[in-house]
């Protein structure tokens, strides 16, 4: 009888569809640990990410559908998330990913935030994206990968800004923390504080960056945001080769000059086999007190980039004084004004990024091999078996 009741519950749960994977939650394998005691039904939904933006809708739909069964008196749905990995650490991390970076062993997903040139507001976007994902329920960290011009110490000022050794491993650094988000930047180090700007050659800068990201004791993180340096430098290539990046968000402004540099950045990530999951056009407009919206740099090339490269998530952000003020004060904009219009744009951006990463994780369909055959002048597509 219990087996028949479980089948009835599962059949009802097939009515709950994941909007990204376009499959029901039973087919996706989300339903775990079902227990039926009389008229009481309990089970766990093991989602692809703890920051799933539709997890509350899933719970409500599960409760509603299961209660349609005449014998059900109560429904208890708990939410959990999958930990990716093959050879796992005690925290459930993948020991095969980022093998040369012991601090990353329990980091589930890594997102690069990049721009083709400086001055487009990339660090502002990276910081507010990190805190927006944290608001969705994920454990998040952010590392400032710019050795020569670190921005994170200005934009996020934790109460204790002194870097120390990890309590669990004295061979590693302990990240700083502010409002639940873990932080690391060369700018927080005593050397940077005393000497100001970093003066070092490219290989030394790359080595310094490697030590900061690989030997910071991040612990368990659902998402690590890497605020990349502007442009396409040695540090970009070093990080791309040493760290498994799950996706990249590109930040630009509407000018054509920025568009040209963005294409170079996209090509770089393409060569590193990192998918572009988001595009942000920053400083795209400002709203006048008269009620009119002005676009000082024109409509931009965002639509063209989205169509050309198939970028699934996009956002436009305004020129707005309080965004700059929060960036200079050490308090991220979205932590203070999360319900503002801009705060909602960041929330939608965070939801879109999280959903795209979940889709990429769930999509295990092997990609075909596509080659150009010069004699015939045709593309040859070979399906992977």
């Amino acid at each position: 009888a219990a087996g028949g009741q479980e089948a009835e519950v599962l059949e009802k749960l097939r009515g709950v569809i994941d909007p990204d994977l376009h499959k029901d939650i039973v087919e996706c394998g989300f339903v775990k640990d079902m227990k039926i005691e009389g008229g009481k039904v309990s089970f766990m939904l093991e989602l692809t990410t703890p920051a799933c933006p539709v997890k509350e809708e899933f719970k409500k739909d599960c409760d509603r559908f299961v209660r349609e069964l005449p014998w059900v008196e109560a429904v208890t749905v708990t939410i959990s998330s999958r930990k990716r990995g093959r050879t796992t650490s005690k925290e459930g991390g993948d020991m095969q990913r980022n093998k040369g970076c012991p601090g990353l062993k329990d980091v589930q997903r890594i997102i690069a935030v990049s721009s083709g040139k400086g001055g487009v507001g990339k660090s502002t976007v990276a910081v507010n994206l990190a805190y927006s994902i944290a608001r969705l329920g994920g454990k998040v960290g952010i590392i400032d990968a710019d050795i020569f011009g670190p921005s994170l110490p200005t934009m996020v000022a934790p109460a204790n800004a002194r870097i120390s050794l990890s309590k669990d491993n004295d061979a590693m650094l302990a990240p700083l923390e502010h409002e639940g988000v873990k932080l690391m930047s060369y700018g927080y180090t005593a050397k940077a504080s005393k000497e100001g700007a970093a003066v070092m050659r490219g290989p030394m800068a790359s080595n310094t960056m490697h030590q900061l990201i690989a030997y910071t004791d991040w612990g368990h993180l659902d998402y690590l945001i890497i605020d990349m340096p502007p442009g396409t430098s040695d540090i970009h290539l070093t990080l791309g080769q040493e760290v498994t990046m799950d996706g990249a968000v590109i930040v630009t402004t509407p000018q054509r000059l920025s568009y040209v540099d963005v294409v170079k950045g996209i090509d770089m990530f393409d060569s590193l086999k990192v998918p572009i999951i988001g595009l942000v056009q920053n400083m795209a407009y400002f709203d006048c007190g008269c009620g009119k919206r002005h676009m000082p740099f024109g409509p931009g090339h965002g639509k063209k980039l989205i169509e050309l490269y198939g970028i699934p998530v996009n956002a436009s952000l305004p020129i707005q004084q309080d965004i700059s003020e929060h960036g200079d004060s050490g308090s991220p904009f979205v932590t203070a004004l999360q319900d503002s219009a801009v705060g909602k744009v960041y929330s939608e951006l965070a939801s879109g990024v999280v959903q795209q990463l979940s889709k990429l994780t769930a999509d295990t369909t092997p990609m075909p091999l596509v080659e150009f055959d010069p004699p015939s002048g045709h593309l040859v597509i070979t399906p992977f078996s």
Side-chain angles (χ1 to χ4, degrees):
Q5 288 179 324
E6 182 174 324
E8 288 182 29
V9 172
L10 290 174
E11 188 60 34
K12 284 293 183 182
L13 292 176
R14 289 187 184 278
V16 183
I17 307 297
D18 186 295
D20 299 312
L21 303 180
H22 306 294
K23 299 177 182 178
D24 66 71
I25 60 173
V26 177
E27 185 180 357
C28 290
F30 292 169
V31 182
K32 306 285 185 182
D33 301 333
M34 184 179 295
K35 295 179 181 178
I36 299 175
E37 297 176 350
K40 297 178 180 179
V41 178
S42 65
F43 54 90
M44 178 176 68
L45 289 184
E46 189 182 67
L47 305 178
T48 54
T49 170
C52 176
V54 294
K55 58 188 175 185
E56 292 304 320
E57 285 83 350
F58 277 160
K59 287 184 69 172
K60 292 177 183 177
D61 288 345
C62 287
D63 184 271
R64 177 167 56 86
F65 280 119
V66 174
R67 284 182 183 274
E68 291 177 355
L69 294 169
W71 54 268
V72 172
E73 299 171 0
V75 180
T76 302
V77 184
T78 56
I79 299 290
S80 180
S81 63
R82 294 175 181 171
K83 290 191 172 73
R84 67 193 300 171
R86 297 180 294 275
T87 305
T88 57
S89 70
K90 65 179 182 179
E91 294 282 350
D94 186 349
M95 298 293 285
Q96 299 302 313
R97 280 167 54 98
N98 310 310
K99 285 197 287 188
C101 302
L104 298 177
K105 70 181 187 300
D106 296 314
V107 175
Q108 301 293 300
R109 296 175 180 85
I110 298 176
I111 306 167
V113 178
S114 184
S115 64
K117 63 195 276 75
V120 300
K122 167 186 57 63
S123 294
T124 299
V125 171
V127 166
N128 285 290
L129 175 61
Y131 279 89
S132 296
I133 294 176
R135 283 174 51 209
L136 292 174
K139 293 183 179 179
V140 181
I142 180 170
I143 183 165
D144 182 353
D146 194 342
I147 299 295
F148 300 106
S151 302
L152 197 58
T154 300
M155 305 190 76
V156 185
N160 180 12
R162 183 181 179 85
I163 289 180
S164 60
L165 296 178
S166 170
K167 294 179 181 178
D168 299 323
N169 187 341
D170 60 9
M172 303 183 77
L173 297 172
L176 303 181
E177 190 166 329
H178 180 70
E179 297 201 20
V181 174
K182 295 181 178 180
L183 317 164
M184 181 53 69
S185 170
Y186 179 75
Y188 289 127
T189 65
K191 183 177 177 63
S193 301
K194 291 176 182 177
E195 300 181 8
V199 181
M200 58 182 79
R201 295 187 183 276
M204 186 180 295
S206 296
N207 185 53
T208 301
M209 188 64 252
H210 168 76
Q211 291 181 47
L212 283 177
I213 193 168
Y215 292 95
T216 294
D217 189 6
W218 294 103
H220 172 75
L221 289 180
D222 298 305
Y223 301 93
L224 176 64
I225 308 293
I226 303 180
D227 180 9
M228 302 286 279
T232 52
S233 65
D234 287 347
I235 290 180
H236 294 78
L237 296 176
T238 298
L239 286 173
Q241 291 163 358
E242 295 182 352
V243 175
T244 303
M245 299 181 194
D246 297 283
V249 175
I250 303 295
V251 183
T252 183
T253 52
Q255 301 101 309
R256 176 160 180 78
L257 181 60
S258 293
Y259 166 79
V260 172
D261 291 326
V262 162
V263 170
K264 294 177 183 177
I266 291 175
D267 288 342
M268 178 197 69
F269 280 112
D270 185 54
S271 69
L272 296 171
K273 295 181 172 57
V274 178
I276 306 298
I277 57 176
L279 176 73
V280 177
Q281 278 205 130
N282 198 24
M283 297 181 277
Y285 62 89
F286 70 90
D287 291 324
C288 177
C290 66
K292 185 177 180 181
R293 175 164 292 186
H294 300 271
M295 297 182 178
F297 305 115
H301 300 83
K303 185 176 180 181
K304 183 177 180 181
L305 286 167
I306 291 164
E307 292 175 351
L308 187 61
Y309 293 98
I311 302 173
V313 180
N314 67 92
S316 292
L317 293 166
I319 301 170
Q320 196 166 296
Q321 184 176 344
D322 52 359
I323 297 176
S324 176
E325 289 173 346
H326 278 277
D328 292 340
S329 70
S331 175
F333 178 88
V334 297
T335 62
L337 297 167
Q338 62 184 34
D339 295 324
S340 65
V342 174
K344 290 176 181 177
V345 172
Y346 272 116
S347 179
E348 291 171 2
L349 174 65
S351 296
V353 166
V354 164
Q355 288 173 315
Q356 285 304 312
L357 288 176
S358 294
K359 288 171 71 174
L360 289 171
T361 302
D363 186 6
T364 56
T365 305
M367 295 180 65
L369 178 65
V370 181
E371 297 175 298
F372 178 71
D373 180 45
S376 66
H378 297 131
L379 289 175
V380 178
I381 302 175
T382 306
F384 283 171
S385 58

